[in-house]
Amino acid sequence: MLLLTPGPTAVPEDIRMKMSESTMHHRTPEFSEIFRQTREKLKDIFGMDEVILLSSSGTGAMEASVTNFCKKKALTVNAGKFGERFGKIIKAFGFELVELKYEWDTPASVEDIKETLLKESDIDTLCIQVCESAGGLRHPVEEIAKEAKRINPDITIIADGITAVGVEKIDTTYIDLLISGSQKAFMLPPGLSMIGVSKDAVSKLEKDGGKGYYFNLLTELKKQRTNTTAWTAATTLIIGLNAVLDEIRSIGLENFYNETKRRSLASKEALKAIGFKIYPKSPATSMSAIYDEKAEDVRKILKSKYEVNIAGGQDHLKGKLFRINHMGLIKPYEASWVLNVLELILDELGVREYKGEANRVFNEVYYKI
Ligand SMILES: *Cc1c(COP(=O)(O)O)cnc(C)c1O
C-alpha cells in the first residue's frame, strides 16, 4: 500500500532500520550527544533560536504553546479543523477567545486581523496555522505576524507549522513559537512534537516562568539546553529524527524544499489537466486538496484496486474532498503513479476518457521547471 496521506507520511526504509536498533537509555552520554545534534539541526530548519522537543503528537505542542504563553485573551483563525482546535484549547484552559472564522478554502485576511487587534487591544496571543491541513490552505502567516507585531510588539505569535516546517522556508522574523510534529514532513511515526522558539519568547519564558507540569516549557528548555529532557525522552523517535535530518542535510535543505515544490506544482497541474478542481484559494505546498462530489468513490477505488491511501475531507467536506500528500521524500514515480491511476478511475467512473494526460503533464512540469 502506498501511503500518501498528508500525515502520517511514509517512513523511509533506512530510517525504519535506524529505529529498529536496540533501545538506548535516555540518561547516557550517547543519547545526550544524539539529542544535542538533533536540536542543532532542528534550529537550522526552523530558523529560530531555540527548539523544544516534546513527547506528544502535534496537539500537545499546540496546548503547551497556549498554556505557557497566553495570559488572558487569544485571537485564533479558524479556517478548518486545526484552527478550530486552537480555539478549543484556549477555551479548555479558561482563556478568553476571539475567533475569526473563514470558509475552509479561504485564507485569513491581514486586514481582518489588524482590525480585530486594534479593536481588542487586550489580546495577548495570536494563534494561526501556517498551512491549515483541513483544506490544504496556506495562510499569509508571515505578513499577519508582521502586522500584528506592529500593532502590539508584545503579542505572542503561535504558528502551527505542522504541515509547513520541512516543506518550505518560513520567514520566522515575527513568529514566536513555530510548531511541528514528527509524522508529517519529518517522515517519522507519530509521537514527537517540536516547537521552534524565538529569542523574545525565550526571554518571556525566563521572565514570566513556565506553566503547568509535564508541558512546562521553561522546565523543558532548561533541561534541553543541557542536552537532556525533563522526562523520559522519546528516544527511538529522536534517533529517527536525527537520521532524517542527516538525510535532508545530505540532499541540501534548498534542494529538499525545491523538490517538494516541484512535486506539489506538477501534481496540481496534472490534477487540473484531468478536470479536477483545486479546493483552496491559496493552495499549500504540502498537499493537493481536491473538491469533488465523487471523492469517496475515488478514494475507495484508489485504495482497493490500486493500493494507494490518500486522505478524505472532514465535517462538512466529508465525502467531497480528497487530499494527496507531497511532504517528505516521495519518488517522482510514486507521485505520478497516483495521478495516473486517478485518471484511470475517472474513466472507470465514466467521467472522462483515459488519455495518459495526468502523467504527461506531471512529467512535463516536474522535469522542466
Ligand atoms: C496533523 C496536524 C496537527 C497535529 O495533530 P496531531 O494529531 O495532534 O499530531 C496540527 N495541526 C495541523 C495543521 C496538522 O496538520
Side-chain angles (χ1 to χ4, degrees), residues 6-8 56-62 81-83 85-86 129-134 160-164 179-184 190-193 286-287 323 327:
S56 74
S57 79
T59 308
M62 292 168 77
K81 284 306 262 187
F82 297 100
R85 188 171 300 176
F86 264 136
Q129 272 58 44
V130 181
C131 164
E132 170 54 78
S133 313
D160 166 3
I162 298 185
T163 46
I179 297 164
S180 189
S182 53
Q183 80 273 30
K184 310 270 168 95
L192 186 70
S193 63
S286 56
M287 69 190 77
R323 294 172 297 150
M327 294 177 279

Side-chain angles (χ1 to χ4, degrees), residues 275-277 290-303 310-313 317-323 342 345-352:
F276 282 120
K277 184 185 174 299
I290 299 296
Y291 185 88
D292 195 280
E293 291 295 334
K294 290 188 172 159
E296 235 18 61
D297 294 334
V298 169
R299 282 183 62 226
K300 262 184 211 145
I301 302 173
L302 206 53
K303 193 168 175 194
I310 61 171
L317 291 177
K318 200 169 167 57
K320 298 196 166 121
L321 201 75
F322 64 79
R323 294 172 297 150
L342 279 170
I345 291 170
L346 287 183
D347 195 336
E348 215 165 310
L349 292 172
V351 178
R352 184 187 175 282

Side-chain angles (χ1 to χ4, degrees), residues 302-322:
L302 206 53
K303 193 168 175 194
S304 59
K305 186 165 171 185
Y306 299 101
E307 295 187 67
V308 184
N309 194 357
I310 61 171
Q314 297 157 290
D315 291 2
H316 63 295
L317 291 177
K318 200 169 167 57
K320 298 196 166 121
L321 201 75
F322 64 79

Side-chain angles (χ1 to χ4, degrees), residues 24-215:
M24 197 182 272
H25 193 280
H26 59 291
R27 308 285 183 209
T28 54
E30 293 82 4
F31 183 73
S32 275
E33 178 53 22
I34 291 171
F35 190 67
R36 186 193 66 76
Q37 289 177 14
T38 308
R39 275 200 348 118
E40 284 312 310
K41 290 171 206 163
L42 275 178
K43 284 182 203 168
D44 234 31
I45 287 207
F46 276 76
M48 297 180 89
D49 269 61
E50 272 298 348
V51 174
I52 300 174
L53 287 89
L54 299 172
S55 303
S56 74
S57 79
T59 308
M62 292 168 77
E63 178 168 320
S65 301
V66 167
T67 54
N68 282 267
F69 285 89
C70 188
K71 299 273 179 289
K72 176 173 172 267
K73 192 177 198 174
L75 170 62
T76 64
V77 168
N78 174 356
K81 284 306 262 187
F82 297 100
E84 178 188 62
R85 188 171 300 176
F86 264 136
K88 287 183 174 172
I89 293 169
I90 284 151
K91 280 205 256 178
F93 285 92
F95 299 115
E96 289 173 52
L97 172 68
V98 182
E99 186 179 64
L100 280 174
K101 257 186 136 165
Y102 295 91
E103 187 40 63
W104 291 15
D105 64 350
T106 308
S109 122
V110 181
E111 285 311 308
D112 291 351
I113 306 266
K114 278 163 68 178
E115 203 177 291
T116 310
L117 291 177
L118 287 169
K119 205 165 62 192
E120 312 223 20
S121 58
D122 56 343
I123 289 172
D124 55 63
T125 307
L126 168 64
C127 303
I128 186 168
Q129 272 58 44
V130 181
C131 164
E132 170 54 78
S133 313
L137 176 77
R138 177 68 156 89
H139 284 302
V141 174
E142 293 91 337
E143 202 188 340
I144 286 172
K146 184 177 178 183
E147 292 303 322
K149 288 276 185 185
R150 209 197 298 259
I151 292 168
N152 175 6
D154 204 37
I155 196 167
T156 302
I157 312 276
I158 303 175
D160 166 3
I162 298 185
T163 46
V165 178
V167 173
E168 56 176 309
K169 177 145 182 57
I170 302 162
D171 178 1
T172 54
T173 314
Y174 301 98
I175 294 173
D176 292 299
L177 296 131
L178 182 60
I179 297 164
S180 189
S182 53
Q183 80 273 30
K184 310 270 168 95
F186 290 107
M187 302 166 263
L188 291 167
L192 186 70
S193 63
M194 311 128 215
I195 311 176
V197 191
S198 72
K199 195 178 265 170
D200 282 358
V202 169
S203 305
K204 271 188 197 173
L205 206 52
E206 285 171 338
K207 184 170 141 276
D208 303 340
K211 300 269 158 48
Y213 188 74
Y214 186 75
F215 283 144

